[in-house]
Protein backbone atom coordinates (compact mmCIF):
# COMPACT_ATOMS: atom_id res chain seq x y z
CA UNK A 1 0.00 0.00 0.00
CA UNK A 2 1.34 3.42 -0.97
CA UNK A 3 0.15 6.86 0.11
CA UNK A 4 -0.02 10.27 -1.53
CA UNK A 5 -0.38 13.76 -0.05
CA UNK A 6 -2.57 15.98 -2.22
CA UNK A 7 -2.46 19.75 -1.92
CA UNK A 8 -5.70 19.96 0.05
CA UNK A 9 -4.05 18.03 2.92
CA UNK A 10 -0.90 20.15 3.12
CA UNK A 11 -2.04 22.03 6.24
CA UNK A 12 -2.60 18.84 8.30
CA UNK A 13 0.14 17.82 10.72
CA UNK A 14 1.39 14.54 9.25
CA UNK A 15 3.17 13.58 12.46
CA UNK A 16 0.00 13.85 14.52
CA UNK A 17 -2.40 12.55 11.88
CA UNK A 18 -0.47 10.36 9.42
CA UNK A 19 -3.52 8.53 8.05
CA UNK A 20 -5.53 11.73 7.67
CA UNK A 21 -2.74 13.80 6.11
CA UNK A 22 -2.27 11.24 3.32
CA UNK A 23 -4.55 9.38 0.93
CA UNK A 24 -4.10 5.64 0.37
CA UNK A 25 -3.27 4.56 -3.15
CA UNK A 26 -4.26 0.89 -3.34
CA UNK A 27 -3.62 -1.44 -6.24
CA UNK A 28 -6.13 -0.76 -9.00
CA UNK A 29 -7.17 2.51 -7.26
CA UNK A 30 -9.46 3.76 -10.01
CA UNK A 31 -11.60 0.65 -10.14
CA UNK A 32 -11.94 0.31 -6.37
CA UNK A 33 -12.65 4.01 -5.88
CA UNK A 34 -15.35 3.95 -8.59
CA UNK A 35 -16.99 0.97 -6.94
CA UNK A 36 -16.84 2.71 -3.54
CA UNK A 37 -18.35 5.84 -5.09
CA UNK A 38 -21.20 3.87 -6.67
CA UNK A 39 -21.93 2.03 -3.40
CA UNK A 40 -21.88 5.29 -1.46
CA UNK A 41 -24.20 7.00 -3.94
CA UNK A 42 -26.65 4.09 -3.75
CA UNK A 43 -26.55 4.11 0.07
CA UNK A 44 -27.26 7.86 0.10
CA UNK A 45 -30.12 7.35 -2.33
CA UNK A 46 -31.57 4.51 -0.21
CA UNK A 47 -31.19 6.70 2.88
CA UNK A 48 -32.89 9.67 1.27
CA UNK A 49 -29.75 11.80 1.54
CA UNK A 50 -29.36 14.52 -1.07
CA UNK A 51 -25.98 14.99 -2.74
CA UNK A 52 -27.17 17.30 -5.52
CA UNK A 53 -25.91 20.85 -4.94
CA UNK A 54 -28.92 22.20 -6.83
CA UNK A 55 -31.43 20.51 -4.54
CA UNK A 56 -33.95 22.70 -2.77
CA UNK A 57 -32.57 23.69 0.62
CA UNK A 58 -29.08 22.47 -0.27
CA UNK A 59 -27.51 19.02 -0.02
CA UNK A 60 -27.40 16.87 3.11
CA UNK A 61 -23.66 16.49 2.63
CA UNK A 62 -21.15 17.93 0.22
CA UNK A 63 -18.29 15.87 -1.15
CA UNK A 64 -15.41 18.17 -1.99
CA UNK A 65 -12.69 15.66 -2.86
CA UNK A 66 -12.68 12.27 -4.60
CA UNK A 67 -10.16 11.15 -1.98
CA UNK A 68 -13.23 10.20 0.06
CA UNK A 69 -13.84 7.21 -2.19
CA UNK A 70 -10.20 6.13 -2.18
CA UNK A 71 -10.32 6.13 1.62
CA UNK A 72 -13.60 4.19 1.72
CA UNK A 73 -12.25 1.66 -0.79
CA UNK A 74 -9.25 1.07 1.46
CA UNK A 75 -10.70 1.08 4.97
CA UNK A 76 -14.47 1.34 4.88
CA UNK A 77 -16.13 3.25 7.72
CA UNK A 78 -12.74 4.22 9.13
CA UNK A 79 -11.84 5.83 5.82
CA UNK A 80 -15.22 7.57 5.75
CA UNK A 81 -14.48 9.08 9.17
CA UNK A 82 -10.90 10.02 8.28
CA UNK A 83 -12.19 11.79 5.16
CA UNK A 84 -14.50 13.86 7.37
CA UNK A 85 -11.58 14.62 9.69
CA UNK A 86 -9.63 15.79 6.63
CA UNK A 87 -12.47 18.08 5.57
CA UNK A 88 -13.00 16.21 2.30
CA UNK A 89 -16.73 15.98 2.87
CA UNK A 90 -18.74 18.40 4.94
CA UNK A 91 -22.15 19.06 6.43
CA UNK A 92 -23.78 22.33 7.43
CA UNK A 93 -23.96 21.50 11.14
CA UNK A 94 -23.25 18.78 13.69
CA UNK A 95 -26.97 17.99 13.89
CA UNK A 96 -26.88 17.42 10.13
CA UNK A 97 -23.96 15.05 10.69
CA UNK A 98 -26.10 13.05 13.13
CA UNK A 99 -28.76 12.81 10.43
CA UNK A 100 -26.29 11.66 7.75
CA UNK A 101 -24.69 9.02 9.95
CA UNK A 102 -28.03 7.81 11.26
CA UNK A 103 -29.52 7.50 7.77
CA UNK A 104 -26.51 5.57 6.46
CA UNK A 105 -26.52 3.23 9.44
CA UNK A 106 -30.27 2.84 9.09
CA UNK A 107 -29.93 1.43 5.56
CA UNK A 108 -27.04 -0.80 6.63
CA UNK A 109 -24.27 1.01 4.77
CA UNK A 110 -21.29 -1.35 5.01
CA UNK A 111 -18.53 -0.48 2.52
CA UNK A 112 -16.90 -3.46 0.83
CA UNK A 113 -13.35 -2.80 1.88
CA UNK A 114 -10.46 -4.70 3.34
CA UNK A 115 -10.78 -2.71 6.52
CA UNK A 116 -8.71 -3.11 9.64
CA UNK A 117 -9.65 -6.03 11.85
CA UNK A 118 -12.65 -5.31 14.05
CA UNK A 119 -11.45 -7.36 17.01
CA UNK A 120 -10.61 -4.90 19.79
CA UNK A 121 -6.99 -4.44 20.79
CA UNK A 122 -5.76 -3.88 24.31
CA UNK A 123 -6.87 -0.53 25.64
CA UNK A 124 -4.42 2.19 26.50
CA UNK A 125 -4.23 3.60 30.02
CA UNK A 126 -5.28 7.22 30.23
CA UNK A 127 -8.15 9.59 30.79
CA UNK A 128 -9.72 12.21 28.58
CA UNK A 129 -7.99 15.55 29.30
CA UNK A 130 -10.01 17.76 31.62
CA UNK A 131 -9.22 20.68 29.29
CA UNK A 132 -11.25 18.82 26.67
CA UNK A 133 -14.01 17.63 28.99
CA UNK A 134 -14.68 21.17 30.20
CA UNK A 135 -15.52 22.21 26.63
CA UNK A 136 -18.70 20.12 26.57
CA UNK A 137 -19.48 18.91 30.08
CA UNK A 138 -22.38 20.38 31.96
CA UNK A 139 -20.59 20.05 35.30
CA UNK A 140 -17.04 20.65 34.08
CA UNK A 141 -15.91 17.24 35.33
CA UNK A 142 -17.83 14.46 33.59
CA UNK A 143 -17.74 13.34 29.98
CA UNK A 144 -20.58 10.86 30.59
CA UNK A 145 -24.34 11.15 30.32
CA UNK A 146 -26.86 12.27 32.92
CA UNK A 147 -30.31 11.48 34.28
CA UNK A 148 -32.87 14.27 34.01
CA UNK A 149 -35.56 14.99 36.59
CA UNK A 150 -38.43 14.43 34.15
CA UNK A 151 -37.72 10.70 33.76
CA UNK A 152 -40.18 8.43 35.59
CA UNK A 153 -38.65 5.09 36.69
CA UNK A 154 -40.46 1.76 36.39
CA UNK A 155 -38.94 -1.35 37.98
CA UNK A 156 -39.74 -4.98 37.20
CA UNK A 157 -38.09 -7.98 38.85
CA UNK A 158 -36.94 -10.42 36.17
CA UNK A 159 -35.50 -13.92 36.31
CA UNK A 160 -32.08 -14.10 34.66
CA UNK A 161 -30.10 -17.20 33.76
CA UNK A 162 -26.97 -17.81 35.82
CA UNK A 163 -23.73 -18.44 33.93
CA UNK A 164 -21.72 -19.43 36.98
CA UNK A 165 -19.80 -22.73 36.60
CA UNK A 166 -21.70 -23.89 39.69
CA UNK A 167 -25.14 -23.05 38.33
CA UNK A 168 -27.51 -25.99 38.58
CA UNK A 169 -25.22 -27.79 41.03
CA UNK A 170 -24.15 -25.76 44.04
CA UNK A 171 -26.03 -22.63 42.96
CA UNK A 172 -29.48 -21.96 41.46
CA UNK A 173 -29.80 -21.98 37.66
CA UNK A 174 -31.23 -18.46 37.75
CA UNK A 175 -31.52 -15.40 39.93
CA UNK A 176 -33.56 -12.22 40.21
CA UNK A 177 -32.54 -8.88 38.71
CA UNK A 178 -34.41 -5.62 39.33
CA UNK A 179 -34.67 -4.01 35.89
CA UNK A 180 -35.53 -0.30 35.88
CA UNK A 181 -36.40 1.76 32.82
CA UNK A 182 -36.87 5.52 32.65
CA UNK A 183 -39.41 7.42 30.60
CA UNK A 184 -37.96 9.88 28.10
CA UNK A 185 -36.86 13.26 29.47
CA UNK A 186 -39.04 16.24 28.61
CA UNK A 187 -38.54 20.02 28.57
CA UNK A 188 -34.76 19.81 28.78
CA UNK A 189 -32.54 22.84 28.19
CA UNK A 190 -28.81 23.47 28.25
CA UNK A 191 -28.75 24.43 31.91
CA UNK A 192 -30.04 20.99 32.93
CA UNK A 193 -27.04 18.92 31.84
CA UNK A 194 -24.81 19.56 34.86
CA UNK A 195 -27.60 18.71 37.28
CA UNK A 196 -28.38 15.57 35.26
CA UNK A 197 -24.76 14.43 35.43
CA UNK A 198 -24.71 14.93 39.18
CA UNK A 199 -27.96 12.97 39.45
CA UNK A 200 -26.50 10.07 37.46
CA UNK A 201 -23.60 10.00 39.91
CA UNK A 202 -26.02 10.02 42.84
CA UNK A 203 -27.90 7.07 41.39
CA UNK A 204 -24.68 5.07 41.15
CA UNK A 205 -23.92 5.92 44.77
CA UNK A 206 -27.45 4.80 45.70
CA UNK A 207 -26.80 1.48 43.95
CA UNK A 208 -23.71 0.99 46.11
CA UNK A 209 -25.49 2.30 49.24
CA UNK A 210 -22.74 4.83 49.80
CA UNK A 211 -23.23 6.90 52.93
CA UNK A 212 -21.47 8.20 56.01
CA UNK A 213 -18.41 6.09 56.76
CA UNK A 214 -18.46 4.18 53.47
CA UNK A 215 -15.02 3.45 52.03
CA UNK A 216 -15.52 4.05 48.30
CA UNK A 217 -13.25 3.28 45.36
CA UNK A 218 -13.79 5.15 42.10
CA UNK A 219 -11.91 3.69 39.15
CA UNK A 220 -11.11 5.01 36.63
CA UNK A 221 -11.11 8.77 37.19
CA UNK A 222 -13.81 9.30 34.55
CA UNK A 223 -16.02 8.89 37.58
CA UNK A 224 -14.78 12.06 39.30
CA UNK A 225 -18.34 13.28 39.76
CA UNK A 226 -19.35 10.21 41.85
CA UNK A 227 -16.26 10.85 43.96
CA UNK A 228 -17.29 14.47 44.48
CA UNK A 229 -20.88 13.55 45.29
CA UNK A 230 -19.74 10.86 47.74
CA UNK A 231 -18.01 13.46 49.87
CA UNK A 232 -21.41 15.12 50.37
CA UNK A 233 -22.45 11.85 52.00
CA UNK A 234 -19.35 11.87 54.24
CA UNK A 235 -17.78 8.85 52.57
CA UNK A 236 -14.03 8.20 52.43
CA UNK A 237 -13.03 8.15 48.76
CA UNK A 238 -10.07 6.78 46.82
CA UNK A 239 -9.73 7.52 43.09
CA UNK A 240 -7.36 5.44 40.98
CA UNK A 241 -6.08 6.60 37.61
CA UNK A 242 -3.54 5.20 35.18
CA UNK A 243 -2.84 8.56 33.58
CA UNK A 244 0.21 10.33 34.99
CA UNK A 245 -0.50 13.41 32.86
CA UNK A 246 -3.89 13.88 34.49
CA UNK A 247 -2.90 13.66 38.14
CA UNK A 248 -2.13 17.37 38.49
CA UNK A 249 -5.33 18.40 36.66
CA UNK A 250 -7.42 16.12 38.85
CA UNK A 251 -5.89 17.39 42.04
CA UNK A 252 -6.35 20.96 40.87
CA UNK A 253 -10.02 20.23 40.18
CA UNK A 254 -10.41 18.78 43.68
CA UNK A 255 -8.92 21.93 45.20
CA UNK A 256 -11.32 24.12 43.20
CA UNK A 257 -14.24 21.98 44.39
CA UNK A 258 -13.01 22.05 47.98
CA UNK A 259 -12.71 18.26 48.06
CA UNK A 260 -8.92 17.83 48.14
CA UNK A 261 -8.99 16.79 51.82
CA UNK A 262 -11.76 14.22 51.27
CA UNK A 263 -10.60 12.43 48.12
CA UNK A 264 -7.31 10.60 47.68
CA UNK A 265 -6.07 10.30 44.08
CA UNK A 266 -3.48 7.66 43.28
CA UNK A 267 -1.86 6.63 40.01
CA UNK A 268 -1.68 2.90 39.27
CA UNK A 269 0.32 1.92 36.16
CA UNK A 270 -1.50 -0.16 33.58
CA UNK A 271 -5.15 -0.59 32.76
CA UNK A 272 -6.15 -2.90 35.61
CA UNK A 273 -4.42 -2.78 39.02
CA UNK A 274 -2.93 -6.10 40.12
CA UNK A 275 -2.81 -7.33 43.75
CA UNK A 276 0.74 -6.03 44.24
CA UNK A 277 -0.17 -2.54 43.01
CA UNK A 278 -3.30 -2.09 45.11
CA UNK A 279 -4.75 -4.33 47.81
CA UNK A 280 -7.19 -2.23 49.83
CA UNK A 281 -10.76 -3.35 50.42
CA UNK A 282 -13.86 -1.24 49.90
CA UNK A 283 -17.49 -1.13 50.95
CA UNK A 284 -18.42 0.31 47.57
CA UNK A 285 -16.85 0.53 44.10
CA UNK A 286 -18.00 2.74 41.23
CA UNK A 287 -16.90 2.35 37.61
CA UNK A 288 -18.05 4.73 34.88
CA UNK A 289 -17.75 3.70 31.22
CA UNK A 290 -14.63 1.59 31.47
CA UNK A 291 -15.73 -1.99 30.78
CA UNK A 292 -16.69 -1.35 27.14
CA UNK A 293 -13.26 0.19 26.53
CA UNK A 294 -11.36 -2.92 27.64
CA UNK A 295 -10.24 -5.84 25.53
CA UNK A 296 -11.78 -9.26 26.35
CA UNK A 297 -8.97 -10.44 28.62
CA UNK A 298 -8.75 -7.01 30.30
CA UNK A 299 -12.47 -7.23 31.13
CA UNK A 300 -11.87 -10.51 32.92
CA UNK A 301 -8.99 -9.02 34.89
CA UNK A 302 -11.06 -5.97 35.70
CA UNK A 303 -14.06 -7.85 37.09
CA UNK A 304 -11.70 -10.06 39.12
CA UNK A 305 -10.14 -6.90 40.56
CA UNK A 306 -13.57 -5.55 41.55
CA UNK A 307 -14.31 -8.90 43.21
CA UNK A 308 -10.97 -8.77 45.03
CA UNK A 309 -11.37 -5.17 46.24
CA UNK A 310 -14.98 -5.48 47.40
CA UNK A 311 -15.72 -6.47 51.00
CA UNK A 312 -18.08 -9.46 51.51
CA UNK A 313 -21.07 -7.18 52.11
CA UNK A 314 -19.98 -4.52 49.66
CA UNK A 315 -21.66 -3.36 46.45
CA UNK A 316 -20.38 -2.22 43.10
CA UNK A 317 -22.03 0.14 40.63
CA UNK A 318 -20.91 -0.09 37.00
CA UNK A 319 -22.20 2.32 34.35
CA UNK A 320 -21.58 1.06 30.84
CA UNK A 321 -22.65 1.60 27.25
CA UNK A 322 -23.95 -1.70 25.87
CA UNK A 323 -25.02 -2.98 22.49
CA UNK A 324 -28.62 -4.04 21.98
CA UNK A 325 -30.13 -6.73 19.78
CA UNK A 326 -30.73 -3.98 17.21
CA UNK A 327 -26.97 -3.56 16.64
CA UNK A 328 -26.08 -4.34 13.02
CA UNK A 329 -22.86 -5.16 11.20
CA UNK A 330 -22.87 -1.61 9.86
CA UNK A 331 -23.13 -0.29 13.41
CA UNK A 332 -20.26 -2.47 14.58
CA UNK A 333 -18.13 -1.36 11.64
CA UNK A 334 -18.87 2.32 12.19
CA UNK A 335 -17.05 2.42 15.54
CA UNK A 336 -13.72 1.71 13.83
CA UNK A 337 -12.91 5.42 13.96
CA UNK A 338 -13.59 5.59 17.71
CA UNK A 339 -11.34 2.58 18.20
CA UNK A 340 -8.60 3.97 15.97
CA UNK A 341 -8.47 7.47 17.49
CA UNK A 342 -10.11 7.53 20.92
CA UNK A 343 -10.66 4.18 22.70
CA UNK A 344 -8.46 1.37 21.25
CA UNK A 345 -10.27 -1.46 23.04
CA UNK A 346 -13.81 -0.18 22.41
CA UNK A 347 -16.38 -2.89 21.81
CA UNK A 348 -19.93 -2.52 23.08
CA UNK A 349 -20.98 -5.75 24.86
CA UNK A 350 -24.53 -7.05 25.05
CA UNK A 351 -26.13 -6.96 28.49
CA UNK A 352 -26.14 -10.77 28.45
CA UNK A 353 -22.40 -10.75 27.81
CA UNK A 354 -21.84 -8.62 30.90
CA UNK A 355 -23.85 -11.10 32.97
CA UNK A 356 -21.66 -13.87 31.56
CA UNK A 357 -18.50 -11.89 32.28
CA UNK A 358 -19.45 -11.33 35.91
CA UNK A 359 -20.79 -14.84 36.59
CA UNK A 360 -17.92 -16.72 34.97
CA UNK A 361 -15.00 -14.65 36.23
CA UNK A 362 -15.90 -13.59 39.75
CA UNK A 363 -17.91 -14.36 42.83
CA UNK A 364 -20.11 -11.37 42.00
CA UNK A 365 -23.57 -11.20 40.52
CA UNK A 366 -25.55 -8.48 38.78
CA UNK A 367 -28.68 -7.85 40.84
CA UNK A 368 -29.97 -4.62 39.26
CA UNK A 369 -30.01 -2.85 35.90
CA UNK A 370 -31.14 0.71 35.31
CA UNK A 371 -31.52 1.53 31.62
CA UNK A 372 -31.04 5.25 31.00
CA UNK A 373 -30.47 5.31 27.25
CA UNK A 374 -33.00 8.02 26.37
CA UNK A 375 -31.46 10.29 29.00
CA UNK A 376 -27.97 9.50 27.78
CA UNK A 377 -29.11 10.37 24.26
CA UNK A 378 -30.32 13.77 25.42
CA UNK A 379 -27.01 14.25 27.25
CA UNK A 380 -25.11 13.56 24.03
CA UNK A 381 -27.21 16.16 22.21
CA UNK A 382 -26.43 18.71 24.87
CA UNK A 383 -22.73 17.85 24.94
CA UNK A 384 -22.50 18.09 21.16
CA UNK A 385 -24.20 21.49 21.33
CA UNK A 386 -21.84 22.68 24.08
CA UNK A 387 -18.84 21.59 22.04
CA UNK A 388 -20.18 23.39 18.97
CA UNK A 389 -20.36 26.55 21.05
CA UNK A 390 -16.78 26.19 22.29
CA UNK A 391 -14.92 25.48 19.05
CA UNK A 392 -12.92 28.71 19.38
CA UNK A 393 -11.98 27.82 22.94
CA UNK A 394 -10.99 24.33 21.71
CA UNK A 395 -8.68 25.90 19.14
CA UNK A 396 -7.19 28.19 21.78
CA UNK A 397 -6.59 25.15 24.02
CA UNK A 398 -4.50 23.55 21.28
CA UNK A 399 -6.99 21.17 19.71
CA UNK A 400 -6.36 21.44 15.97
CA UNK A 401 -9.05 21.33 13.22
CA UNK A 402 -8.61 17.57 12.66
CA UNK A 403 -9.15 16.82 16.34
CA UNK A 404 -12.15 19.14 16.50
CA UNK A 405 -13.77 17.36 13.56
CA UNK A 406 -12.94 13.99 15.16
CA UNK A 407 -14.63 15.02 18.38
CA UNK A 408 -17.69 16.28 16.54
CA UNK A 409 -17.80 13.00 14.61
CA UNK A 410 -17.65 10.82 17.74
CA UNK A 411 -20.50 12.76 19.34
CA UNK A 412 -22.62 12.47 16.19
CA UNK A 413 -21.88 8.78 15.69
CA UNK A 414 -22.73 7.77 19.24
CA UNK A 415 -25.86 9.91 19.07
CA UNK A 416 -26.88 8.23 15.82
CA UNK A 417 -26.27 4.74 17.23
CA UNK A 418 -28.30 5.53 20.32
CA UNK A 419 -31.11 7.16 18.32
CA UNK A 420 -31.36 3.95 16.27
CA UNK A 421 -31.49 1.90 19.47
CA UNK A 422 -28.26 0.06 18.68
CA UNK A 423 -26.66 1.05 21.98
CA UNK A 424 -28.02 1.76 25.45
CA UNK A 425 -26.64 3.17 28.70
CA UNK A 426 -27.07 0.98 31.78
CA UNK A 427 -26.18 1.25 35.45
CA UNK A 428 -25.50 -2.23 36.89
CA UNK A 429 -25.60 -3.08 40.58
CA UNK A 430 -23.40 -5.97 41.78
CA UNK A 431 -23.05 -7.93 45.02
CA UNK A 432 -21.22 -11.08 46.05
CA UNK A 433 -23.05 -14.32 45.32
CA UNK A 434 -22.13 -15.83 48.67
CA UNK A 435 -24.50 -13.44 50.43
CA UNK A 436 -27.24 -16.02 50.12
CA UNK A 437 -29.32 -13.97 47.71
CA UNK A 438 -29.77 -11.03 50.08
CA UNK A 439 -30.18 -7.61 48.47
Amino acid sequence: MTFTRPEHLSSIDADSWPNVATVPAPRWPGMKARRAEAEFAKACDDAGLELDLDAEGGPDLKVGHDALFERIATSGWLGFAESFMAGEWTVTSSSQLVKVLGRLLGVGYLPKAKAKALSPSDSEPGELPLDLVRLYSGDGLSHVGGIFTSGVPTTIRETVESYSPRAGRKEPKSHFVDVTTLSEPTSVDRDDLGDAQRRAADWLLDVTRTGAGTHLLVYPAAGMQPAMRATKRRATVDVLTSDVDQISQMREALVLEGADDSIHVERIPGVVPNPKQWHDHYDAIVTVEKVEQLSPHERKEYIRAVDRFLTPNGRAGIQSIVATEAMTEAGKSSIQALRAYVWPGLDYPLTTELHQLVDKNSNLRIVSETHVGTHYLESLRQQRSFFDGHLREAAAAGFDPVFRRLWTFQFALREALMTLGMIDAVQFGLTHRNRGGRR
Side-chain angles (χ1 to χ4, degrees):
M1 177 73 67
T2 59
F3 297 85
T4 62
R5 190 169 191 190
E7 181 63 27
H8 73 275
L9 301 176
S10 61
S11 63
I12 296 177
D13 185 344
D15 292 331
S16 299
W17 308 99
N19 292 331
V20 179
T22 57
V23 176
R27 189 180 181 186
W28 312 112
M31 181 178 65
K32 291 183 177 181
R34 286 194 297 272
R35 186 183 69 180
E37 182 177 4
E39 291 172 351
F40 182 71
K42 184 180 185 305
C44 288
D45 185 58
D46 293 342
L49 294 173
E50 186 58 68
L51 294 171
D52 186 351
L53 294 177
D54 296 326
E56 182 179 353
D60 290 300
L61 69 159
K62 179 180 179 180
V63 178
H65 297 274
D66 289 341
L68 164 64
F69 307 115
E70 295 171 359
R71 294 183 191 272
I72 292 176
T74 301
S75 52
W77 266 95
L78 175 57
F80 183 55
E82 288 176 335
S83 185
F84 179 79
M85 293 161 62
E88 293 165 349
W89 65 273
T90 58
V91 290
T92 56
S93 65
S94 64
S95 59
Q96 187 72 3
L97 180 59
V98 176
K99 173 186 173 181
V100 168
L101 297 178
R103 292 279 187 89
L104 291 174
L105 288 169
V107 298
Y109 177 55
L110 188 59
K112 297 175 184 177
K114 191 176 181 181
K116 293 182 179 180
L118 294 182
S119 57
S121 62
D122 282 357
S123 60
E124 294 179 356
E127 310 286 348
L128 294 179
L130 287 180
D131 286 347
L132 172 62
V133 173
R134 292 189 182 104
L135 295 171
Y136 60 85
S137 174
D139 60 11
L141 293 168
S142 304
H143 71 264
V144 297
I147 297 174
F148 297 90
T149 56
S150 53
V152 178
T154 303
T155 301
I156 298 175
R157 178 162 290 188
E158 297 185 359
T159 302
V160 175
E161 177 184 355
S162 174
Y163 299 96
S164 167
R166 297 184 177 185
R169 296 184 292 116
K170 296 184 179 181
E171 296 179 11
K173 294 182 178 180
S174 61
H175 61 281
F176 292 115
V177 177
D178 291 332
V179 180
T180 301
T181 56
L182 287 178
S183 62
E184 293 187 13
T186 57
S187 303
V188 174
D189 61 39
R190 290 167 62 91
D191 294 333
D192 295 329
L193 179 58
D195 182 60
Q197 289 175 313
R198 288 185 286 271
R199 184 173 298 102
D202 286 338
W203 282 38
L204 274 175
L205 296 177
D206 290 343
V207 165
T208 61
R209 296 179 180 174
T210 296
T214 298
H215 194 192
L216 170 69
L217 171 65
V218 175
Y219 182 77
M224 284 295 284
Q225 188 59 258
M228 297 285 195
R229 300 298 291 176
T231 63
K232 308 295 183 183
R233 305 184 181 203
R234 294 181 294 148
T236 300
V237 185
D238 288 342
V239 176
L240 298 185
T241 179
S242 54
D243 193 334
V244 64
D245 296 329
Q246 292 299 93
I247 287 287
S248 59
Q249 288 193 26
M250 292 173 190
R251 288 175 175 161
E252 179 183 342
L254 292 177
V255 171
L256 293 175
E257 295 288 332
D260 53 313
D261 291 334
S262 306
I263 300 175
H264 174 66
V265 180
E266 187 74 28
R267 177 180 177 262
I268 300 296
V271 177
V272 179
N274 62 49
K276 293 182 179 180
Q277 292 173 323
W278 201 256
H279 47 76
D280 281 7
H281 292 87
Y282 297 89
D283 308 307
I285 299 175
V286 166
T287 295
V288 180
E289 292 183 27
K290 184 64 175 179
V291 175
E292 63 270 37
Q293 299 172 18
L294 300 175
S295 66
H297 80 269
E298 287 173 341
R299 290 180 186 178
K300 293 178 182 179
E301 291 302 314
Y302 185 81
I303 202 65
R304 289 167 185 158
V306 173
D307 187 5
R308 185 171 66 249
F309 293 150
L310 201 62
T311 60
N313 293 317
R315 285 177 167 260
I318 296 177
Q319 180 168 310
S320 181
I321 306 299
V322 300
T324 71
E325 297 296 337
M327 175 63 83
T328 62
E329 289 303 314
K332 293 176 183 178
S333 184
S334 71
I335 67 172
Q336 289 180 78
L338 307 190
R339 192 176 296 148
Y341 289 101
V342 188
W343 301 289
L346 182 65
D347 185 41
Y348 297 122
L350 293 166
T351 299
T352 301
E353 291 172 339
L354 281 181
H355 280 271
Q356 293 172 344
L357 172 73
V358 173
D359 285 357
K360 292 180 179 180
N361 298 283
S362 73
N363 193 41
L364 301 171
R365 169 161 291 158
I366 294 174
V367 295
S368 68
E369 299 173 15
T370 300
H371 294 254
V372 297
T374 56
H375 290 249
Y376 200 101
L377 173 59
E378 183 58 40
S379 299
L380 282 174
R381 290 172 181 151
Q382 298 295 332
Q383 290 173 342
R384 174 174 54 79
S385 176
F386 273 121
F387 189 69
D388 284 350
H390 291 96
L391 289 177
R392 289 186 178 180
E393 289 88 341
F399 299 108
D400 68 13
V402 177
F403 184 92
R404 299 197 297 271
R405 286 192 288 264
L406 165 65
W407 215 244
T408 297
F409 187 91
Q410 68 84 23
F411 275 131
L413 178 59
R414 292 194 294 143
E415 186 176 333
L417 288 169
M418 195 156 277
T419 300
L420 292 168
M422 293 188 186
I423 57 175
D424 187 14
V426 185
Q427 291 187 347
F428 296 92
L430 291 75
T431 64
H432 277 109
R433 290 202 297 269
N434 60 8
R435 296 182 61 206
R438 290 177 293 169
R439 298 295 185 87

